[in-house]
Amino acid sequence: MSEPKNVFTDMDGKFEGNDAFQKEGGTYFNPAEFRKLVEARRSVRKYTEEKIPDDIVNDCLDLALLAPNSSNLQPWEFYRIKNADVKRDVVTACFSQSAAKTSAELIVCVARRDTWRKHSKQMLAEFAKLPVETPKVAQTYYGKLVPFVYTVGWFNILTPLKWLFNTIVGVFKVVPRDPISSYGMNVWAVKSTALACENLMLAFRAHGYDTCPMEGFDSWKVKKAVGLPCKSEIVMIISAGKRADGGVYGPRLRFPNEQFIKTV
């Protein structure tokens, strides 16, 4: 009898969604085309009145959810604003800037530091559905290690204890020092959500539409308009639409590469 396949080490590209893997000796991707896509993405401040078909918006959102994320706990939510009254309130909360006011679509990108427990259990449930074996270490990770790492307790009551544990044990071995507080959990969730936001913007550009990631907004008013829970963190609000004349304000300016790229 053959040994059962391992979901992590024996994936052969036959699972749904994995048929686009790049395999040794072959290539399915074009770096030059990807460069053209990245270079074509600009922050657009003014759009035409053209609408974006629902199937394209849905495809872009699907691609956003394929972004890499911490432990595959997917700590994100994306709110597509379709209600006219809600959109009016969100636009106002964005200081009525042109990028929001003229957009065909407004998507509020939210990081959730409080969904990790639910999603950890969901991962274990998904493992149970697979036709291949899940290593015990993975089950232990989601069943025991994740709760240990991400639990901070009411009002961060566990933060001092986790800091002390990490400080002492960290003298002798490598330890996961973050996140140990609600603030750290926010940072943790925002990092993954930001990766998905980039996927979303590149997807719109690939479909021939443009976007603008906005940070200029009244977060309290946006949360109220959309009905977001208090533990949610708005990472950015992405507007999308067809670029209008004058929609890009000036050339793209970047400082010298050597200012940011270091070799150590």
Side-chain angles (χ1 to χ4, degrees):
M1 179 179 295
S2 60
E3 291 294 322
K5 287 189 174 183
N6 181 318
V7 67
F8 293 115
T9 60
D10 296 313
M11 294 182 69
D12 56 7
K14 295 181 181 179
F15 293 102
E16 182 180 357
N18 294 323
D19 56 344
F21 279 8
Q22 186 171 9
K23 297 181 179 180
E24 185 176 358
T27 178
Y28 301 135
F29 312 108
N30 188 320
E33 290 301 312
F34 179 68
R35 172 171 285 278
K36 284 167 60 177
L37 175 64
V38 172
E39 291 179 345
R41 188 219 59 80
R42 295 295 306 273
S43 294
V44 172
R45 315 290 176 168
K46 184 180 179 182
Y47 304 97
T48 69
E49 294 182 358
E50 181 178 331
K51 303 300 182 184
I52 306 177
D54 283 344
D55 62 328
I56 289 180
V57 177
N58 291 334
D59 184 59
C60 292
L61 288 167
D62 286 344
L63 291 171
L65 299 182
L66 294 181
N69 60 94
S70 180
S71 296
N72 203 39
L73 291 173
Q74 303 166 58
W76 48 44
E77 290 175 344
F78 295 86
Y79 291 81
R80 181 187 177 192
I81 310 301
K82 298 195 71 173
N83 182 283
D85 293 332
V86 175
K87 183 174 182 179
R88 182 197 62 230
D89 291 342
V90 172
V91 168
T92 300
C94 291
F95 305 102
S96 297
Q97 56 184 292
S98 180
K101 188 165 54 177
T102 65
S103 66
E105 295 286 338
L106 273 182
I107 300 172
V108 180
C109 308
V110 175
R112 294 292 300 269
R113 72 172 189 262
D114 58 332
T115 58
W116 63 264
R117 195 182 302 274
K118 172 186 173 184
H119 291 178
S120 183
K121 293 178 181 178
Q122 197 170 346
M123 280 294 295
L124 291 171
E126 291 297 320
F127 284 151
K129 298 176 187 177
L130 294 174
V132 289
E133 183 181 55
T134 301
K136 185 176 180 180
V137 65
Q139 298 183 39
T140 301
Y141 179 80
Y142 286 102
K144 296 181 179 180
L145 186 58
V146 164
F148 173 78
V149 172
Y150 297 134
T151 299
V152 298
W154 291 99
F155 300 104
N156 295 298
I157 191 172
L158 296 179
T159 298
L161 297 176
K162 295 181 79 170
W163 177 86
L164 184 62
F165 174 84
N166 289 339
T167 300
I168 295 175
V169 176
V171 173
F172 307 100
K173 61 190 302 185
V174 177
V175 295
R177 297 178 187 267
D178 294 296
I180 62 171
S181 65
S182 294
Y183 171 78
M185 288 299 293
N186 264 358
V187 173
W188 168 80
V190 165
K191 285 189 290 186
S192 289
T193 305
L195 293 173
C197 290
E198 179 71 1
N199 267 25
L200 181 60
M201 291 185 285
L202 290 176
F204 272 116
R205 183 81 286 270
H207 277 289
Y209 295 93
D210 286 287
T211 56
C212 183
M214 294 177 287
E215 292 185 293
F217 53 82
D218 184 322
S219 59
W220 185 87
K221 285 184 168 58
V222 174
K223 285 186 178 183
K224 181 180 179 181
V226 179
L228 298 177
C230 61
K231 290 186 178 180
S232 61
E233 185 77 24
I234 302 174
V235 178
M236 64 186 75
I237 299 175
I238 295 178
S239 65
K242 181 66 72 171
R243 183 185 309 191
D245 291 339
V248 176
Y249 293 173
R252 175 184 277 133
L253 301 176
R254 289 295 185 268
F255 303 136
N257 288 7
E258 58 269 20
Q259 187 172 332
F260 307 106
I261 301 174
K262 313 294 183 181
T263 300
V264 297

